[in-house]
């Protein structure tokens, strides 16, 4: 019901209507009009693309590979695949989208490796350093952390383009 006529709303109207806590309908309107690759291609900021190998929502073999191809040759883009992790960057349990709710309810913690990789990327950005190679976390400036179709990623991307 709330989404009926979503694309007919003006941006101002959509920003005023709340849905799911603090999210506005504008968030959903814009998510439906632009993809993560649209944001990446429109930006020259460095990007760090993280992917869980056991993610059954955003697939490493399709989506992550697509990002690597799309951004090939961009010296300011870093990719990291975590083979045993799922969509929320914890060790996958079921490898079955039908068990997503059960998998995501199991209490686990994001591995220190992931947190360290993100911190290193952000830390070098704040140091104002230049570009880097795919295997090196050093010398970055600017930051976008994206995972296609991930709700949290959209918020990060929006903040980065503001």
């Amino acid at each position: 019901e709330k989404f009926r006529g979503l694309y007919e709303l003006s941006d101002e109207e959509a920003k005023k209507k709340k849905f799911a806590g603090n999210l506005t309908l504008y968030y959903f309107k814009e998510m439906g009009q632009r993809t993560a690759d649209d944001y990446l291609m429109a930006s020259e900021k460095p990007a760090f693309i993280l992917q869980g190998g056991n993610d059954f929502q955003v697939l490493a073999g399709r989506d992550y590979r697509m990002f690597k191809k799309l951004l090939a040759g961009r010296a300011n883009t870093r990719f990291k695949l975590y083979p045993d992790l799922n969509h929320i960057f914890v060790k996958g349990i079921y490898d079955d989208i039908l068990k997503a709710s059960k998998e995501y309810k199991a209490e686990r913690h994001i591995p220190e490796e992931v947190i360290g990789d993100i911190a290193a990327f952000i830390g070098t950005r704040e140091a104002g350093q230049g570009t880097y190679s795919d295997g090196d976390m050093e010398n970055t400036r600017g930051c976008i952390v994206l995972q296609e179709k991930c709700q949290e990623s959209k918020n990060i991307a929006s903040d980065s383009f503001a």
Side-chain angles (χ1 to χ4, degrees):
E1 179 75 24
K2 280 257 188 183
F3 292 104
R4 184 171 296 140
L6 177 64
Y7 297 110
E8 287 76 39
L9 292 174
S10 71
D11 288 350
E12 292 73 31
E13 290 173 313
K15 287 176 182 178
K16 291 178 184 174
K17 295 184 183 256
K18 298 281 186 181
F19 181 79
N22 287 329
L23 293 177
T24 65
L25 289 183
Y26 177 76
Y27 171 83
F28 295 99
K29 179 181 177 187
E30 190 189 26
M31 282 294 289
Q33 294 172 327
R34 295 185 70 184
T35 64
D37 47 321
D38 291 335
Y39 288 104
L40 285 167
M41 295 309 293
S43 176
E44 294 181 15
K45 293 180 181 182
F48 184 19
I49 311 293
L50 300 90
Q51 174 70 48
N54 283 340
D55 187 340
F56 44 72
Q57 292 178 251
V58 179
L59 306 177
R62 182 190 69 203
D63 304 307
Y64 182 69
R65 188 179 312 179
M66 182 271 303
F67 279 122
K68 287 191 88 167
K69 183 177 178 181
L70 181 71
L71 301 170
R74 274 179 62 165
N76 66 347
T77 301
R78 169 89 165 95
F79 297 89
K80 181 78 183 257
L81 178 66
Y82 302 91
D84 295 330
L85 303 184
N86 65 16
H87 189 70
I88 57 174
F89 295 101
V90 295
K91 188 163 177 63
I93 300 172
Y94 299 108
D95 196 30
D96 180 357
I97 197 165
L98 297 176
K99 295 182 180 178
S101 179
K102 187 174 181 181
E103 176 152 334
Y104 296 160
K105 286 180 183 176
E107 184 175 329
R108 288 161 296 151
H109 300 281
I110 295 172
E112 288 185 27
E113 176 187 9
V114 176
I115 294 168
D117 289 345
I118 295 169
F121 185 79
I122 292 170
T124 54
R125 172 188 66 92
E126 290 177 354
Q129 299 171 355
T131 60
Y132 57 92
S133 68
D134 187 46
D136 184 10
M137 286 290 202
E138 299 303 317
N139 305 323
T140 61
R141 187 181 67 217
C143 179
I144 301 171
V145 180
L146 279 178
Q147 185 181 53
E148 185 184 24
K149 309 268 188 211
C150 179
Q151 301 292 339
E152 296 81 12
S153 297
K154 171 59 177 58
N155 292 333
I156 293 168
S158 292
D159 291 343
S160 296
F161 291 105

